[in-house]
Amino acid sequence: MNLYVDSDFKISSVFQERLTELVADCECNKSELPSLIGISKDILIRALNIGMFPSTKSLCKIADYFSVSLDFLIGITDNERYIKSEESKTFQQRVSELKKEKGVSYCEIANILGFARSLFNSWNMYNYIPSLELIYMLAQYFNVTMDYLLGRTDDR
C-alpha cells in the first residue's frame, strides 16, 4: 500500500479517510465521541478535517476505542485484524525486551536510527511515549508492529 504522509509524519489522507469511516460507522452521539474516546474535541476535529495525527497516546486511545490496530488506522496495512494484549506491557518494557532479544544497546539503536541516545533515558525516566514517527522507526527496526511495540497486542 502506498501511504501518503507528509514529510514531518504529521498529516495523512489515509488516516483521515479511515477515521472518517470509523466515526461514520459509530452508533454513538458524535458530539460525545471525543469524551468517549478520552481526547479533546479539537484533536478529533483536526484529525477528521485535515488528517492531522494526534500525539501517540491520543492515537492509541482512538485505536483502542474503535478496536483497530495503529497500522490499520494510519494506513500502513489494510488488515483490520487486531487482538488486544492479554497482559498489557508498556512501551518501555517492550523496547527493553526487543533490545535484549536483538543483542544491541540503546546507543547502537540510536546511532542506526539517527536520534539521540538520551531519548531512551527520557522515555524510561518519565514514562514518556515518543512521537509516531519514532515509534514507526523503532517498529521497523525491530521488525514488529507499532501495536506490539506499544504493548497494545502480543501479535508481532
Side-chain angles (χ1 to χ4, degrees):
M1 159 175 273
N2 288 337
L3 171 67
Y4 171 73
V5 177
D6 78 345
S7 60
D8 294 325
F9 218 86
K10 302 285 183 210
I11 296 174
S12 166
S13 59
V14 176
F15 166 64
Q16 181 182 15
E17 290 169 20
R18 295 249 166 108
L19 183 58
T20 300
E21 289 172 13
L22 290 167
V23 169
D25 292 342
C26 183
E27 295 181 11
C28 63
N29 182 330
K30 304 298 185 254
S31 63
E32 295 175 358
L33 190 57
S35 63
L36 293 172
I37 295 172
I39 60 173
S40 76
K41 181 180 174 184
D42 290 339
I43 288 171
L44 187 59
I45 288 170
R46 284 191 299 268
L48 289 169
N49 290 345
I50 60 174
M52 181 181 287
F53 288 124
S55 70
T56 305
K57 279 188 178 186
S58 292
L59 196 59
C60 286
K61 288 179 181 182
I62 294 168
D64 285 343
Y65 181 80
F66 291 109
S67 295
V68 297
S69 73
L70 290 177
D71 287 354
F72 172 77
L73 184 61
I74 69 170
I76 291 173
T77 182
D78 286 331
N79 183 354
E80 294 184 49
R81 183 174 161 245
Y82 171 72
I83 301 170
K84 185 175 172 140
S85 178
E86 290 182 23
E87 183 185 330
S88 187
K89 297 244 181 167
T90 67
F91 163 74
Q92 292 79 7
Q93 288 170 318
R94 283 284 164 85
V95 170
S96 179
E97 290 170 1
L98 290 165
K99 175 186 78 71
K100 287 176 188 168
E101 270 180 34
K102 197 162 181 130
V104 293
S105 68
Y106 288 127
C107 187
E108 289 172 297
I109 298 167
N111 286 337
I112 289 168
L113 297 181
F115 57 79
R117 192 256 181 252
S118 61
L119 284 177
F120 287 104
N121 288 338
S122 296
W123 300 336
N124 289 324
M125 218 179 337
Y126 303 111
N127 201 26
Y128 175 71
I129 297 175
S131 70
L132 185 59
E133 182 178 18
L134 291 177
I135 292 288
Y136 179 77
M137 290 169 57
L138 286 164
Q140 293 295 302
Y141 175 77
F142 288 118
N143 196 30
V144 297
T145 66
M146 292 188 296
D147 292 299
Y148 181 82
L149 188 61
L150 290 165
R152 296 184 66 235
T153 186
D154 295 324
D155 188 6
R156 288 180 179 235

